[in-house]
Amino acid sequence: MKNDKSFSMIAEVSGEINEIINKMPVPNRVAVLPTKNLVLFPGVMLPILTGKSTTSKYIKKAEKSGEIIGVICQLNDVDEPERGDIASKGVYARVIKCLEMPGGFMTCIVQALSKLSVISCERVQDVLWCSCEKEPERTSYKDDIEFKQACSDLKKVALKYIKSDDDLPDESTMAVETLKDDVTLVNYLACNNPFSIKDKLEMLSKNDLKERLFMLLKFYDRELQLIAIRNNIREKTHDELNQQQRKYFLQQQIKNLQAEMGNQDSSPEKQKLLVKAEQKKWPEEIEELFYDELDKLDQINPQSSDYNVQLSYLQTLVDLPWGEYTPKDINIQRAEKILNRDHYAMEKAKERILEYIAVLSLKENPQAPILCLYGPPGVGKTSLGKSIADALKRKYVRVSLGGLHDEAEIRGHRRTYIGAMPGRIIKGMQKAGSSNPVFILDEIDKVTQNTHNGDPSSALLEVLDPEQNKAFHDNYLDCDYDLSRVMFIATANELNTIPKPLLDRMEVIELSGYITEEKIEIAKRHFVPKEKENVGLAGTGVTFTKQALEYIIEKYTRESGVRQLEKQINKALRKLAFSLAKNNELPVERIKPADVECLLGKAPFNRDIYQGNNYAGVVTGLAWTSVGGEILFIETSLSKGKGSKLTLTGNLGDVMKESAVLALEYVKSHYKSLGIDYRIFDHWNIHIHVPEGATPKDGPSAGITIATSLASALTQRKVRKNTAMTGEITLRGKVLPVGGIKEKILAAKRAGITDIMMCQDNRKDVEDIPEVYRKGLTFHYVENVQDVWNFALLDEKVDNALTFEIEEEEEKK
């Protein structure tokens, strides 16, 4: 709890108040209002600011009930003080008024009563309670001339102090002059003096008011001496400052005389700026701006902080590559070779880059594309940008936008702010040294939006708009810079976090996850040679068999990219390097699947395998995850009960739950075509479960899988062997297309699936996948759920099929 730091506090001036305070009965146990940097004295009334605490609530309650509380100063700065954290002396007080303040704070006006001495403390429901006893004070000095004269001197000394201290307001003088009662004067000044808490507690400990008075005079005398010393120091400092100003004016006059004599000597900084400026190919308006700002530099004192601000601005202007471009060096064959050398697969992205290079070879200055490489982590989005720069023979700049929350990071700060600097775009151009680099905007999907510092994603709109970026305005430069020939390449893991206007300005190229075959090739071409070099095995004959690499991919990684695969290869080679360094021999040179477990330990992952069709209600679905495709088992079981009850388990999301409800309603409405007794729904409960309950699952693509699972469970018919399916359904039974087809197909192939069912509209997605990955799979395209059932459900029933017997009593009903 804190008090207002101004000197003008509220005080009682009546002489009769002290008699009332001394005779007033007080309790021997009170709730404590702890204060920080405030010692309250008897008879003084003042406001205390309280925070959001349980004590504040109790104080408000005490206001209404008139309950007497204790006000005791804290010795230690803690939020919940105990006995050792508060002083041994304090005052009883009554809460006069509580006022609500902004921010949830409260100001309590309290009237201090008599002094108290703390005996013990305990905390009850977050409120500190103290057992205490009243300490009487001697306050009557009617015929004491010495006391009267000392009080008069105290008022004069206090007024002198107030006038000497510039930090105290003039209202403080009026507050002291209005105090007529000597007892109130002493306690009021003791409470509101500039002394330390230790000094105030020492004064409060005195039970004789006369002793407190003389102690107060001694402290005021000390403070007045300190003020005199401080004023003396200020006068000396002021004289030294005037001397510096005089010296500066004399230097300026000398410079003017030298200029008239024709032998003016510029500063070394200015000479360097002029040399750089002569080599610049900047526009006429920028050149004029530069020399105008350079003239201002001569008018600023080199010792001033403004001099460095102006110098930094001029250095930024001359360091920017105005009109400087990397020479065009176009060779499509070489570019294609570089892209294929650095990255395996990624055909769509490579094709788009080669198209731009082709246009660049036919046209002098074509509009640079603004690409967004979108895909899961670890697929090579950022490294592809570096390869593009190598293929184009251009400078490469990368800026990470992850966690960016300030618009000024993009547009720069205005020079009026202390520590102003250009934005990251201009800094990147300065670093590149060319006006046509390949500029990577990494993690653009992780830019914070709509903060109190502006909207950085909106600032990027100007950067990535070809119609606007030819005159990009940075607040620090306060002039336009041409970004139209910069090739911007953004990278993102998710598109739904990128604002639509920003996404609309970019050409999105999806880099989907690698399949196992692609990962094997990447490991053989890139990771194994690279990691052998990193661990010092480059000169050895250590190799991985194809089966060993596949075993690592399937059993030790679960990702769409290849980042973890690289780490696992590095780990295996480190084990071999350790053995070579220790025993001077390699335990194995040709690493096979049997050797992998010895090097990497037990495999943490297992791929799902098709489980057969021996059970009714168990259907294989296909799912897309951030680490690739997976097969998904939908299980439906029936149990006798009251019916009309659908239980869903397996950590399902809202969309997947809605798909289950849709599927059940469709099955109910088509019970005749399935040969189901409709009374089953009134006497059997239905339970749908998706295994691996710890993994959250959501999305609409399991619609036809759930519908087939329900139909199989209610008819006890087998599901066609080695069949998987994916597709969303509507209430009318129409099958809708879904995404992630490539990943799902690869997952099905790994699990031993031979037949895949999906929407007719997904045919185009399948045809985009290379034939080598579709080999061994048969695709069945459907338009409605009936088509799914006609193929997936066999006439043969499962072994030990359930018999749905309806009780005779229910038949009579």
Side-chain angles (χ1 to χ4, degrees):
M1 312 300 170
K2 300 179 181 178
N3 71 306
D4 187 351
K5 292 192 176 180
S6 68
F7 198 82
S8 56
M9 300 298 180
I10 304 170
E12 282 291 347
V13 296
S14 172
E16 298 176 358
I17 189 69
N18 299 303
E19 295 292 332
I20 297 172
I21 288 172
N22 285 327
K23 295 178 181 179
M24 181 179 292
V26 289
N28 56 9
R29 186 173 182 270
V30 291
V32 175
L33 174 61
T35 60
K36 296 179 181 178
N37 302 320
L38 171 65
V39 179
L40 197 57
F41 284 76
V44 177
M45 182 194 303
L46 53 72
I48 301 176
L49 181 66
T50 66
K52 308 173 187 176
S53 65
T54 308
T55 304
S56 301
K57 296 177 182 177
Y58 190 88
I59 298 305
K60 197 166 185 180
K61 182 180 175 183
E63 174 202 1
K64 298 177 181 179
S65 63
E67 180 181 346
I68 292 177
I69 63 170
V71 179
I72 305 174
C73 180
Q74 282 186 221
L75 301 176
N76 301 319
D77 189 8
V78 293
D79 293 330
E80 294 184 358
E82 300 294 341
R83 175 64 187 91
D85 300 316
I86 61 174
S88 59
K89 306 292 182 182
V91 293
Y92 293 99
R94 189 184 300 280
V95 182
I96 304 300
K97 186 72 175 176
C98 291
L99 303 172
E100 296 291 339
M101 304 296 288
F105 293 90
M106 185 172 68
T107 296
C108 302
I109 301 175
V110 298
Q111 169 71 62
L113 304 176
S114 56
K115 195 167 74 173
L116 64 81
S117 178
V118 178
I119 300 173
S120 63
C121 293
E122 65 176 343
R123 185 168 288 278
V124 179
Q125 296 180 350
D126 291 333
V127 177
L128 187 64
W129 289 80
C130 283
S131 297
C132 50
E133 61 182 8
K134 180 179 178 180
E135 278 197 12
E137 286 191 312
R138 183 188 173 190
T139 58
S140 178
Y141 295 91
K142 291 183 179 179
D143 300 323
D144 193 331
I145 299 175
E146 185 183 32
F147 178 82
K148 292 286 185 183
Q149 185 59 44
C151 288
S152 177
D153 291 342
L154 175 64
K155 182 178 286 191
K156 293 176 182 177
V157 169
L159 292 173
K160 182 180 179 181
Y161 172 80
I162 294 169
K163 293 176 181 178
S164 302
D165 195 334
D166 297 334
D167 297 330
L168 294 176
D170 296 333
E171 293 81 5
S172 304
T173 302
M174 186 181 299
V176 174
E177 288 175 346
T178 55
L179 294 172
K180 305 301 182 183
D181 180 68
D182 293 336
V183 177
T184 304
L185 174 69
V186 173
N187 285 336
Y188 176 75
L189 292 176
C191 180
N192 292 286
N193 61 43
F195 314 140
S196 66
I197 296 298
K198 181 181 177 182
D199 292 340
K200 292 183 179 182
L201 290 173
E202 186 179 357
M203 285 190 288
L204 183 63
S205 66
K206 303 297 182 183
N207 292 331
D208 191 323
L209 191 67
K210 192 172 183 180
E211 291 184 33
R212 188 179 298 162
L213 169 60
F214 285 107
M215 188 177 293
L216 193 58
L217 283 168
K218 182 179 71 174
F219 289 156
Y220 264 123
D221 183 66
R222 180 190 67 192
E223 291 298 319
L224 286 169
Q225 290 181 35
L226 290 175
I227 288 175
I229 294 171
R230 187 172 64 207
N231 290 337
N232 188 32
I233 293 172
R234 285 181 179 176
E235 289 177 4
K236 290 181 179 179
T237 307
H238 183 67
D239 289 339
E240 289 175 2
L241 184 62
N242 287 339
Q243 186 69 20
Q244 287 181 0
Q245 291 174 343
R246 181 172 175 272
K247 186 176 180 181
Y248 168 70
F249 291 135
L250 289 173
Q251 289 175 346
Q252 289 297 111
Q253 290 177 354
I254 292 171
K255 285 184 179 181
N256 292 335
L257 289 172
Q258 289 177 339
E260 290 180 5
M261 295 170 64
N263 60 348
Q264 183 180 13
D265 188 17
S266 299
S267 65
E269 295 91 352
K270 184 176 179 180
Q271 288 292 345
K272 290 179 181 178
L273 291 172
L274 288 170
V275 171
K276 288 184 179 180
E278 290 174 1
Q279 302 171 358
K280 285 293 169 185
K281 304 174 183 176
W282 42 27
E284 184 178 342
E285 63 272 13
I286 302 300
E287 184 177 8
E288 183 179 348
L289 171 68
F290 171 78
Y291 285 107
D292 287 345
E293 295 293 331
L294 191 63
D295 290 340
K296 293 178 183 177
L297 189 68
D298 290 331
Q299 303 170 15
I300 303 174
N301 182 3
Q303 306 300 323
S304 169
S305 60
D306 291 339
Y307 184 85
N308 288 326
V309 172
Q310 186 71 3
L311 183 63
S312 297
Y313 174 70
L314 291 168
Q315 287 173 340
T316 301
L317 279 178
V318 296
D319 287 343
L320 280 170
W322 301 93
E324 299 175 24
Y325 301 97
T326 303
K328 188 165 70 171
D329 184 6
I330 304 301
N331 187 319
I332 295 180
Q333 288 76 18
R334 181 194 65 206
E336 187 174 10
K337 185 178 179 180
I338 290 173
L339 292 174
N340 290 331
R341 178 200 67 192
D342 294 343
H343 292 83
Y344 184 75
M346 296 187 178
E347 301 305 329
K348 287 186 178 180
K350 292 177 184 177
E351 182 181 352
R352 180 64 185 89
I353 300 305
L354 292 173
E355 287 172 0
Y356 171 66
I357 294 174
V359 172
L360 198 61
S361 66
L362 299 174
K363 189 177 179 181
E364 183 60 31
N365 293 315
Q367 190 177 73
I370 298 174
L371 308 179
C372 178
L373 304 179
Y374 148 65
V379 297
K381 299 182 294 295
T382 305
S383 60
L384 180 60
K386 185 73 171 71
S387 295
I388 292 170
D390 290 342
L392 292 170
K393 293 293 182 181
R394 289 190 183 182
K395 298 294 182 65
Y396 170 80
V397 181
R398 174 184 167 274
V399 170
S400 178
L401 301 179
L404 192 74
H405 63 277
D406 191 350
E407 182 183 346
E409 291 284 337
I410 303 296
R411 294 187 186 277
H413 304 79
R414 299 189 184 279
R415 282 189 289 152
T416 52
Y417 296 108
I418 296 174
M421 61 181 68
R424 293 195 184 188
I425 303 300
I426 293 299
K427 279 185 179 179
M429 300 304 296
Q430 196 173 348
K431 179 182 176 182
S434 170
S435 290
N436 62 341
V438 174
F439 204 120
I440 305 297
L441 299 172
D442 214 4
E443 310 291 358
I444 197 170
D445 57 323
K446 298 175 180 62
V447 175
T448 308
Q449 300 176 35
N450 295 323
T451 68
H452 65 281
N453 291 323
D455 189 355
S457 60
S458 296
L460 285 169
L461 293 176
E462 182 182 0
V463 177
L464 300 180
D465 191 335
E467 300 300 323
Q468 299 182 48
N469 63 12
K470 62 182 66 175
F472 172 70
H473 187 85
D474 185 274
N475 291 328
Y476 181 79
L477 291 182
D478 202 20
C479 60
D480 294 338
Y481 190 87
D482 186 5
L483 299 175
S484 61
R485 294 175 65 178
V486 178
M487 185 176 186
F488 286 105
I489 301 177
T491 69
N493 298 128
E494 299 287 344
L495 294 182
N496 53 9
T497 58
I498 302 177
K500 295 299 180 185
L502 184 59
L503 190 62
D504 184 58
R505 283 163 169 78
M506 300 184 290
E507 181 180 343
V508 178
I509 299 176
E510 183 178 1
L511 302 181
S512 58
Y514 297 110
I515 61 174
T516 301
E517 290 78 2
E518 291 173 340
K519 290 182 180 180
I520 291 172
E521 285 299 320
I522 291 169
K524 286 168 61 179
R525 296 184 184 190
H526 302 285
F527 294 160
V528 174
K530 175 185 173 184
E531 296 306 327
K532 282 175 65 178
E533 181 71 31
N534 288 342
V535 301
L537 296 178
T540 65
V542 175
T543 59
F544 287 80
T545 66
K546 182 178 178 181
Q547 293 78 10
L549 291 172
E550 184 176 358
Y551 189 77
I552 293 174
I553 293 165
E554 298 288 344
K555 300 289 186 179
Y556 290 86
T557 67
R558 182 160 287 186
E559 58 178 346
S560 290
V562 288
R563 198 167 280 150
Q564 293 301 318
L565 173 59
E566 183 179 11
K567 291 180 181 177
Q568 294 300 330
I569 291 173
N570 177 271
K571 182 179 178 181
L573 292 173
R574 285 201 318 267
K575 295 285 186 183
L576 295 179
F578 173 75
S579 180
L580 179 62
K582 184 178 180 181
N583 304 320
N584 292 324
E585 63 176 355
L586 289 169
V588 61
E589 288 195 358
R590 185 174 171 80
I591 300 173
K592 304 181 185 63
D595 304 317
V596 172
E597 192 167 311
C598 298
L599 296 172
L600 299 180
K602 296 292 182 182
F605 304 114
N606 282 308
R607 289 290 181 184
D608 292 325
I609 304 298
Y610 177 69
Q611 298 180 355
N613 63 342
N614 297 324
Y615 298 95
V618 179
V619 183
T620 306
L622 298 173
W624 179 91
T625 69
S626 60
V627 296
E630 297 285 349
I631 63 171
L632 196 69
F633 299 105
I634 306 293
E635 302 175 350
T636 300
S637 68
L638 305 174
S639 60
K640 294 203 67 174
K642 296 180 179 180
S644 302
K645 181 180 179 183
L646 173 63
T647 303
L648 301 171
T649 57
N651 202 352
L652 308 183
D654 291 339
V655 177
M656 201 165 181
K657 288 178 180 178
E658 290 172 359
S659 295
V661 173
L662 279 173
L664 179 58
E665 291 301 318
Y666 185 81
V667 170
K668 284 181 178 181
S669 63
H670 293 79
Y671 70 93
K672 285 184 179 180
S673 64
L674 290 169
I676 300 172
D677 188 339
Y678 73 92
R679 293 174 295 177
I680 289 175
F681 299 110
D682 296 328
H683 299 279
W684 291 77
N685 293 330
I686 299 174
H687 185 162
I688 299 176
H689 176 68
V690 184
E692 297 187 24
T695 305
K697 309 166 192 73
D698 204 0
S701 64
I704 63 172
T705 314
I706 296 173
T708 306
S709 177
L710 285 167
S712 173
L714 291 166
T715 60
Q716 294 295 294
R717 292 160 63 183
K718 279 189 174 183
V719 178
R720 188 177 295 273
K721 195 173 183 179
N722 296 324
T723 299
M725 57 192 71
T726 181
E728 182 182 355
I729 62 170
T730 67
L731 197 57
R732 295 176 290 123
K734 184 175 175 59
V735 179
L736 302 180
V738 293
I741 296 300
K742 178 184 176 183
E743 289 81 0
K744 291 176 180 179
I745 289 174
L746 296 172
K749 191 173 180 181
R750 285 195 303 266
I753 299 296
T754 59
D755 293 88
I756 298 178
M757 305 183 69
M758 63 182 67
C759 177
Q760 177 70 36
D761 292 340
N762 282 125
R763 182 190 292 269
K764 62 182 184 302
D765 301 309
V766 175
E767 291 173 351
D768 282 343
I769 300 172
E771 178 63 31
V772 64
Y773 303 134
R774 293 183 281 155
K775 189 176 180 181
L777 296 173
T778 303
F779 297 93
H780 305 273
Y781 302 104
V782 296
E783 293 186 352
N784 54 61
V785 177
Q786 292 292 342
D787 294 341
V788 177
W789 289 344
N790 291 339
F791 178 81
L793 292 179
L794 303 176
D795 293 334
E796 179 187 357
K797 294 203 172 186
V798 297
D799 297 335
N800 302 317
L802 288 175
T803 55
F804 302 101
E805 297 177 356
I806 309 300
E807 296 179 4
E808 294 182 2
E809 293 181 5
E810 294 297 332
E811 288 184 357
K812 292 177 182 178
K813 289 181 181 179

